[in-house]
Amino acid sequence: MTFGYDVIVIGAGHAGCEAASAAANLGSKTLLITMDMNRIAQMSCNPAVGGIAKGQIIREIDALGGQMGLIADQTSIQFRMLNRSKGPAMWSPRTQNDRVEFVKKWREVLDSIPNLFIWQDTVTSLIIRNGIAIGVKTILDVEFQARAIVLAVGTFLNGLLYIGKSKISGGRMSEPASFGITEQLVELGFKKSRMKTGTPVRIDGRSIDFSLMEEQKGEVDFHKFSYLDFIRRPMKQLSCWTSHTNKACHGVLQDGLSESPLYNGKIKGIGPRYCPSIETKIVTFSYKEQHPLFLEPEGINTQEYYLNGFSSSLPIFIQLLALKKIPAFRNARIYRPGYAIEYDFFHPTQLNHSLETKLIKNLFFAGQINGTTGYEEAGAQGLIAGINAHINVHNEKSFILARNEAYIGVLIDDLVTKGVDEPYRMFTSRAEYRILLRQDNADVRLTEKSYQIGLADKSRYNALVEKKKRIDNIIDFIRLYSVDPKQVNSALEAIGTSPLRNKVKLTDLLLRPQLTINIISFLIPIVREQIDKISDCKEEIIEAVEILIKYEGYIAREKIVAEKINRLENIKIRGRIDYSTVQSLSTEAKQKLISIDPETIAQASRIPGVSPNDINVLLVLLRR
């Protein structure tokens, strides 16, 4: 049997779900193929969305019209804004989520999209004709044809699970691995390697002594992921808990190191430096007597808890014995042990910025197949791959985000330009324009772009226009309104800031670190009245105004730097120079430039091994 579609998405993890929903919502007849329809968008590791830099990505996904932020808000059982003690460029939203409800909501969303169809099966090979992807074949001997294919297979390609000496074929616990696709892509010339990661033990909450742990409650203010007003957090809010390992726990782990596949070299794949196993921690940081642990609830209707910070591949009895050395877990019962997983990935330098492969036209890679880790990074890639798969079908210009436009742009540019030597995880430090890429303004940066290609709908775009109008109106009022010293001096002295000598504009007063719009509104009632008329007391708008005024100088300076760099982004280089013939280039630069084949001078400048001198050589050649 043969069936035809515009876009086929293989894999229904976080990348696949975003890819399928984006392509279908844009108008492409889309098929999502998954091994198990009951595990769509499964939270394979911790039951959480967002976090440092990752929260910014989720807000960007939402601003573009993706789904993860909406679903995270609806299934949130705790919300926190991380890094509040730092500047707003570092603020990062994060939720704990009900794992079961998260999957349920995703399934509801996918089933509601008219152009999207779901098929439960395993893809065994791609159909490639004349260097173009045109379909897939499945283990049920069904053939599907398509005009574009997105490969979002997560950790399933030749996946192996490790617990001590046990080695099990699988992509996740109790789920089979996928075979055939890796071998076919390697034959076609793709370069692949292996990666490894781990997940921790899941504990029965009834066996935990919470009195020996520190409670970590969530926040109940206006912050959330989605920019849409009607989205709220409807679920019961739960606490997380913190504890630490100790010397006795470390002793048990130390004695079992020789039996840890994550540590003893049995697994050859590349491991995550920023999320190491507990075995790696006690060796790398042997001088530390304890390591932090974070106990996270899996949902409101379960006793299952995820022990963040305790990833392990040790034998079950060693994991449990070490756990019981921690007072809060001395009577612990577990649902399942931690385990390691090793799987195939393909080097992302083999992709264009659209996430289409360079070797095969209309074939896109998204998610962990590109060497990344994390739901957020996967979802972002899936969204961009889904958009561009639809665009390819309709022969339109690729949708690509620049580094100064989005964390998603940084993520994809890093992958395509630099490649990976470990599972890639987003950090704020990776974004050189992070003052521009704040979590509060992702809609201002991206929603209009998405609206122009047809993904963000009219109501979302109108909400953005209204928001920007209100922000501008409040800023105009603050810049023009004059404050008399008599209105505020006694209050200013009371809060430890110097009194006014003359009238000043409200802007000057707001620039003081001790003052906020809310404090000023309390001191000067007419200010509150005027702002209320403009913004209807919307806290998100007030926060945006305050950031724009207080950080105006920093924002303006970073925009200037970004504009200078963007000039190099506009200098196209692909196909214009035969690097092998340029004697002035270093040998390493030649090799990297030939391998990656950068689109622009700016991209070439970010390739490791290409020096500023090499860039100058290229600029001289281009002038000629």
Side-chain angles (χ1 to χ4, degrees):
M1 291 189 297
T2 303
F3 302 90
Y5 293 87
D6 292 321
V7 175
I8 292 175
V9 179
I10 304 170
H14 303 278
C17 286
E18 290 288 358
S21 61
N25 281 324
L26 282 166
S28 286
K29 183 182 178 183
T30 304
L31 178 67
L32 177 61
I33 303 178
T34 176
M35 290 181 177
D36 189 344
M37 292 170 61
N38 296 313
R39 300 200 185 194
I40 283 173
Q42 177 76 8
M43 300 180 112
S44 310
C45 204
N46 60 325
V49 172
I52 295 172
K54 294 168 175 279
Q56 283 89 324
I57 289 177
I58 298 300
R59 296 222 84 186
E60 291 176 354
I61 289 173
D62 181 75
L64 288 166
Q67 306 298 327
M68 194 181 295
L70 292 163
I71 293 170
D73 283 338
Q74 294 174 73
T75 62
S76 168
I77 55 178
Q78 187 190 92
F79 183 94
R80 293 179 67 208
M81 183 68 75
L82 307 183
N83 277 345
R84 280 187 185 271
S85 62
K86 301 179 181 179
M90 306 295 285
W91 296 356
S92 302
R94 183 182 190 271
T95 58
Q96 291 296 138
N97 295 88
D98 188 301
R99 186 189 298 274
V100 173
E101 288 298 314
F102 191 87
V103 171
K104 180 181 176 183
K105 285 292 182 185
W106 253 117
R107 178 67 187 275
E108 289 174 3
V109 167
L110 297 175
D111 280 338
S112 71
I113 300 174
N115 285 326
L116 180 57
F117 306 87
I118 303 174
W119 177 259
Q120 182 168 295
D121 202 345
T122 300
V123 172
T124 55
S125 65
L126 308 175
I127 303 173
I128 310 293
R129 188 171 297 158
N130 299 322
I132 302 173
I134 62 167
V136 302
K137 293 180 180 178
T138 77
I139 202 169
L140 295 181
D141 200 27
V142 179
E143 183 176 307
F144 296 99
Q145 293 182 349
R147 298 167 68 187
I149 296 171
V150 179
L151 201 53
V153 290
T155 59
F156 282 78
L157 293 183
N158 294 324
L160 286 172
L161 312 181
Y162 293 84
I163 306 174
K165 295 179 180 178
S166 300
K167 184 168 71 172
I168 309 161
S169 174
R172 283 192 293 250
M173 185 64 79
S174 302
E175 296 183 64
S178 174
F179 303 99
I181 293 176
T182 290
E183 292 73 17
Q184 180 186 14
L185 291 175
V186 169
E187 285 185 9
L188 289 168
F190 285 89
K191 181 182 177 184
K192 69 96 176 177
S193 294
R194 299 279 279 175
M195 276 192 174
K196 65 181 178 182
T197 189
T199 190
V201 62
R202 306 308 201 270
I203 307 175
D204 188 333
R206 294 167 296 185
S207 67
I208 300 169
D209 188 343
F210 290 97
S211 68
L212 299 176
M213 306 187 76
E214 182 178 339
E215 188 174 12
Q216 192 177 64
K217 293 185 177 181
E219 300 172 0
V220 292
D221 68 3
F222 68 93
H223 288 103
K224 53 189 176 68
F225 282 122
S226 181
Y227 289 93
L228 298 179
D229 280 343
F230 63 86
I231 298 300
R232 294 291 181 267
R233 298 194 291 274
M235 300 191 73
K236 178 182 177 182
Q237 300 296 286
L238 301 179
S239 293
C240 293
W241 304 81
T242 62
S243 184
H244 292 84
T245 59
N246 54 35
K247 284 185 177 181
C249 172
H250 292 185
V252 174
L253 296 170
Q254 188 76 41
D255 291 342
L257 280 178
S258 62
E259 297 185 67
S260 166
L262 275 174
Y263 183 76
N264 64 17
K266 187 175 182 180
I267 303 177
K268 303 300 182 184
I270 308 164
R273 179 166 37 128
Y274 298 106
C275 189
S277 66
I278 189 64
E279 299 97 288
T280 302
K281 287 179 186 177
I282 65 167
V283 174
T284 305
F285 307 102
S286 57
Y287 54 90
K288 289 192 174 184
E289 296 185 354
Q290 61 181 25
H291 293 284
L293 300 173
F294 302 90
L295 192 67
E296 303 174 1
E298 297 265 359
I300 60 174
N301 294 315
T302 180
Q303 292 291 338
E304 189 175 355
Y305 280 81
Y306 175 97
L307 190 58
N308 199 336
F310 207 77
S311 293
S312 178
S313 63
L314 284 162
I316 296 172
F317 74 93
I318 295 178
Q319 290 187 43
L320 189 55
L321 182 59
L323 190 64
K324 287 177 176 287
K325 297 296 181 180
I326 302 168
F329 305 121
R330 62 179 179 269
N331 298 315
R333 295 187 301 274
I334 64 174
Y335 287 102
R336 62 178 170 88
Y339 63 88
I341 181 166
E342 185 182 33
Y343 56 94
D344 294 337
F345 81 97
F346 289 86
H347 292 269
T349 52
Q350 300 169 105
L351 303 174
N352 294 310
H353 279 76
S354 64
L355 296 182
E356 183 182 24
T357 68
K358 294 176 181 176
L359 288 175
I360 303 296
K361 185 171 174 54
N362 293 340
L363 176 62
F364 296 79
F365 290 174
Q368 285 177 280
I369 191 173
N370 291 333
T372 63
T373 182
Y375 312 144
E376 303 81 6
E377 291 87 345
Q381 293 170 73
L383 181 65
I384 299 302
I387 290 171
N388 283 311
H390 165 83
I391 284 173
N392 270 29
V393 167
H394 294 85
N395 299 313
E396 297 170 6
K397 184 180 178 182
S398 295
F399 184 77
I400 295 170
L401 296 173
R403 295 182 71 92
N404 66 318
E405 291 177 322
Y407 270 88
I408 296 174
V410 175
L411 163 66
I412 293 175
D413 186 64
D414 278 353
L415 293 175
V416 172
T417 303
K418 302 176 182 178
V420 294
D421 55 11
E422 63 181 323
Y424 183 100
R425 180 180 181 181
M426 180 54 72
F427 293 100
T428 51
S429 59
R430 295 190 190 272
E432 61 269 43
Y433 306 117
R434 53 187 171 273
I435 295 176
L436 303 180
L437 309 183
R438 306 181 308 278
Q439 62 83 30
D440 65 277
N441 72 343
D443 56 342
V444 175
R445 291 184 275 118
L446 301 174
T447 294
E448 185 172 356
K449 292 179 181 293
S450 183
Y451 177 66
Q452 288 172 351
I453 64 170
L455 184 56
D457 61 23
K458 182 71 172 177
S459 62
R460 183 183 282 272
Y461 176 71
N462 288 342
L464 169 66
V465 172
E466 182 63 23
K467 174 183 174 179
K468 290 168 68 175
K469 178 182 175 182
R470 292 184 180 190
I471 289 172
D472 290 342
N473 288 341
I474 294 174
I475 289 176
D476 289 343
F477 167 73
I478 290 174
R479 292 195 192 285
L480 294 173
Y481 184 82
S482 295
V483 180
D484 192 302
K486 295 176 183 178
Q487 292 177 285
V488 295
N489 273 354
S490 59
L492 294 179
E493 290 178 307
I495 62 175
T497 185
S498 58
L500 301 178
R501 294 184 178 181
N502 304 296
K503 280 188 175 183
V504 299
K505 297 299 183 185
L506 189 53
T507 313
D508 299 322
L509 206 57
L510 185 57
L511 289 174
R512 297 189 179 192
Q514 303 92 338
L515 298 178
T516 64
I517 290 177
N518 286 332
I519 291 174
I520 292 172
S521 298
F522 178 77
L523 300 178
I524 313 174
I526 191 173
V527 171
R528 168 57 67 189
E529 292 172 13
Q530 291 299 315
I531 290 177
D532 285 354
K533 286 181 183 178
I534 297 170
S535 71
D536 292 338
C537 299
K538 289 190 176 178
E539 294 167 296
E540 185 173 43
I541 290 176
I542 299 299
E543 180 181 83
V545 168
E546 195 163 298
I547 290 170
L548 288 171
I549 290 177
K550 284 183 175 288
Y551 294 88
E552 181 181 22
Y554 298 102
I555 293 170
R557 188 163 62 222
E558 198 152 279
K559 281 182 178 178
I560 292 171
V561 173
E563 287 166 3
K564 288 180 179 179
I565 298 298
N566 273 349
R567 294 170 194 165
L568 297 180
E569 296 286 3
N570 294 325
I571 303 176
K572 302 295 183 181
I573 192 173
R574 181 171 291 170
R576 297 179 65 185
I577 297 175
D578 181 355
Y579 303 115
S580 64
T581 65
V582 182
Q583 299 300 318
S584 302
L585 291 174
S586 68
T587 301
E588 183 179 9
K590 284 183 187 180
Q591 293 171 348
K592 293 290 183 68
L593 290 166
I594 291 169
S595 172
I596 295 172
D597 191 19
E599 180 74 28
T600 67
I601 281 288
Q603 186 190 350
S605 71
R606 293 190 290 271
I607 298 173
V610 177
S611 70
N613 183 64
D614 295 318
I615 296 300
N616 287 332
V617 169
L618 296 177
L619 287 170
V620 169
L621 289 171
L622 289 173
R623 290 193 197 101
R624 290 179 184 174

